[in-house]
Amino acid sequence: REYSIEGDFSNASFFFAAAAITHGRVKVNNLNPDSSQGDKKFVDFLEQMGCEVNKRDDFIEVIGKPLKGIKLDMSDYPDIVVPLAVVAAFADGKSEFYNISHLKYKESNRLYASVNELKKMGINAECTKDSLIVEGGKAHGAEIDTYKDHRMVMSFAMAGLKVKGVKINNPENVNKSFPNFFKVLETLYD
């Protein structure tokens, strides 16, 4: 038998975040807009924040536009909370992601880790037992700790596309899910 395997929306989210943060344009091939993957909602959330999203049968494109804050129940989308929180750092206004207490039990405590690293970049952020609140602002460079968490590496690498002076500690943590992440990231410069 021959099987066609669709692309991974979780990993694609980082590149869509890059478009949102930089007001650029990113097109990812081999994504099925009708996929059963929950993380396909990432592009819908970016659209609600102000991005332009184009969906076709075999690709999705995000075009960054001015961003506004958003309030979302993320209980079904834990893997895209951190990249969305980083995008929210560059939005106008406050964003709140709630029903996410389970993020404390991922590869890292992603609630604490996200708040801590966003604050290092000069962004007002806080967490409660089940929510993450990010107030968009003027981010600056910082040395980002990644807590042995691949999603922390990839999310904050996107911030480094917009803000000079972002240094990612332990970038090799991407090996868990996306070993060639930085090689693919370099293709965004074309």
Side-chain angles (χ1 to χ4, degrees):
R1 291 185 180 242
E2 193 172 304
Y3 293 95
S4 177
I5 311 251
E6 65 186 21
D8 178 36
F9 276 89
S10 295
N11 283 340
S13 69
F14 302 106
F15 302 101
F16 294 138
I21 290 168
T22 65
H23 294 188
R25 175 187 301 250
V26 169
K27 177 178 152 185
V28 178
N29 294 320
N30 194 34
L31 289 178
N32 175 7
D34 298 320
S35 172
S36 61
Q37 296 177 55
D39 291 344
K40 73 179 183 180
K41 294 291 288 180
F42 190 81
V43 294
D44 296 333
F45 298 150
L46 290 181
E47 192 169 40
Q48 290 174 42
M49 293 179 82
C51 292
E52 180 181 334
V53 176
N54 299 308
K55 298 177 184 179
R56 301 294 183 268
D57 290 342
D58 61 344
F59 75 84
I60 296 177
E61 177 184 54
V62 171
I63 302 167
K65 305 280 184 181
L67 299 165
K68 61 181 183 279
I70 194 167
K71 185 173 182 175
L72 296 169
D73 179 343
M74 297 295 288
S75 56
D76 292 333
Y77 319 106
D79 288 340
I80 58 173
V81 171
V82 179
L84 206 53
V86 172
V87 170
F90 298 92
D92 184 28
K94 191 179 284 189
S95 294
E96 181 180 354
F97 310 104
Y98 58 94
N99 288 332
I100 54 173
S101 60
H102 54 297
L103 286 188
K104 295 179 215 170
Y105 309 107
K106 292 293 190 176
E107 287 81 347
S108 69
N109 178 338
R110 289 184 180 158
L111 288 173
Y112 166 81
S114 297
V115 167
N116 198 44
E117 302 314 303
L118 287 168
K119 283 183 174 182
K120 283 183 184 178
M121 295 180 65
I123 299 299
N124 289 327
E126 64 180 295
C127 61
T128 67
K129 69 178 190 167
D130 77 338
S131 68
L132 175 61
I133 300 155
V134 179
E135 187 172 344
K138 179 92 170 124
H140 57 72
E143 189 169 315
I144 302 298
D145 291 313
T146 55
Y147 308 83
K148 299 181 182 177
D149 190 333
H150 55 137
R151 297 201 188 280
M152 290 292 294
V153 174
M154 295 184 281
S155 297
F156 281 89
M158 298 304 99
L161 296 173
K162 178 77 172 178
V163 178
K164 290 183 181 185
V166 172
K167 178 186 177 210
I168 306 291
N169 291 329
N170 306 109
E172 69 279 0
N173 290 326
V174 297
N175 292 338
K176 177 173 183 176
S177 63
F178 201 158
N180 63 338
F181 171 78
F182 287 103
K183 286 184 179 162
V184 175
L185 181 60
E186 287 176 7
T187 67
L188 294 183
Y189 294 106
D190 291 345

